[in-house]
Structures are given as C-alpha cells and as structure tokens.
Amino acid sequence: MSDIMDSAKELGAKAVREAADAGKIGRAKKKIRNKKSAIIDEYEEIGRFMYDKYLAEGEEQTQSEVLEHALRIDTLKQEIAELEQKIESIKED
C-alpha cells in the first residue's frame, strides 16, 4: 500500500514540476515573440528614416541614426538567443 502512495506522490510531484516548467517556457516564448516584434519595429524605423532622409536630402544619408537601430536589433537578437537557451535548459531538466 505504501508503494502505491509513494508512486502517487512521485507522480504528483512530477506533474507539478512539469507544469512549472511549462509556465517558465511559456513566459520565455512570450518574451521572444515580443522581442521579435520589436525587431520588426526597428526594421520599419530604419526604412522610414532612410526614405524620409532620401526625400529631404536626396541620396545623402546619415548612418549614425541607422546604426542606433542596428545596435538595438543586435541587443534584441542576443536577448532572444539567451531566452532560447533558457528554454532548452528547462526542457533538459
């Protein structure tokens, strides 16, 4: 009888761990989606900036302002990679 109770306790504990892991993974995936959306926003800002600059100054373009967006994109991509590693770590445990 105690074997059945021990098995039931282990099964319950496993279910709780899996539910907690699923929650962590879900939150990380949501952060990834938000960061990917932010990257798309940065791409759009670069395009809008370049077009506005073209209209205002012809072919002359200021690269420093574009670089700011590129650096933000690099940061977001690094954060996504870290979150993806976190997800893999959770799945391996």
Side-chain angles (χ1 to χ4, degrees):
M1 187 72 133
S2 69
D3 289 340
I4 294 172
M5 293 297 287
D6 290 340
S7 294
K9 286 181 184 178
E10 288 177 25
L11 188 60
K14 182 180 177 184
V16 168
R17 282 191 307 273
E18 288 176 356
D21 288 349
K24 290 176 188 176
I25 290 171
R27 286 187 295 278
K29 286 184 176 183
K30 181 179 180 187
K31 288 179 183 178
I32 289 170
R33 283 190 304 273
N34 289 341
K35 290 180 186 303
K36 286 182 177 180
S37 178
I39 288 171
I40 290 169
D41 293 343
E42 292 298 330
Y43 287 148
E44 289 176 357
E45 285 298 317
I46 290 170
R48 187 174 298 113
F49 170 78
M50 296 301 287
Y51 184 72
D52 289 346
K53 196 75 164 169
Y54 165 77
L55 290 176
E57 300 175 18
E59 293 186 30
E60 298 258 336
Q61 300 163 355
T62 303
Q63 293 182 9
S64 64
E65 293 177 32
V66 173
L67 180 61
E68 290 176 27
H69 292 288
L71 292 173
R72 281 195 286 263
I73 290 169
D74 289 344
T75 300
L76 290 165
K77 286 183 175 184
Q78 178 60 37
E79 291 171 355
I80 289 169
E82 290 169 6
L83 288 166
E84 288 172 340
Q85 286 176 346
K86 181 178 179 180
I87 289 170
E88 288 305 313
S89 174
I90 291 169
K91 287 180 179 180
E92 289 174 1
D93 287 342

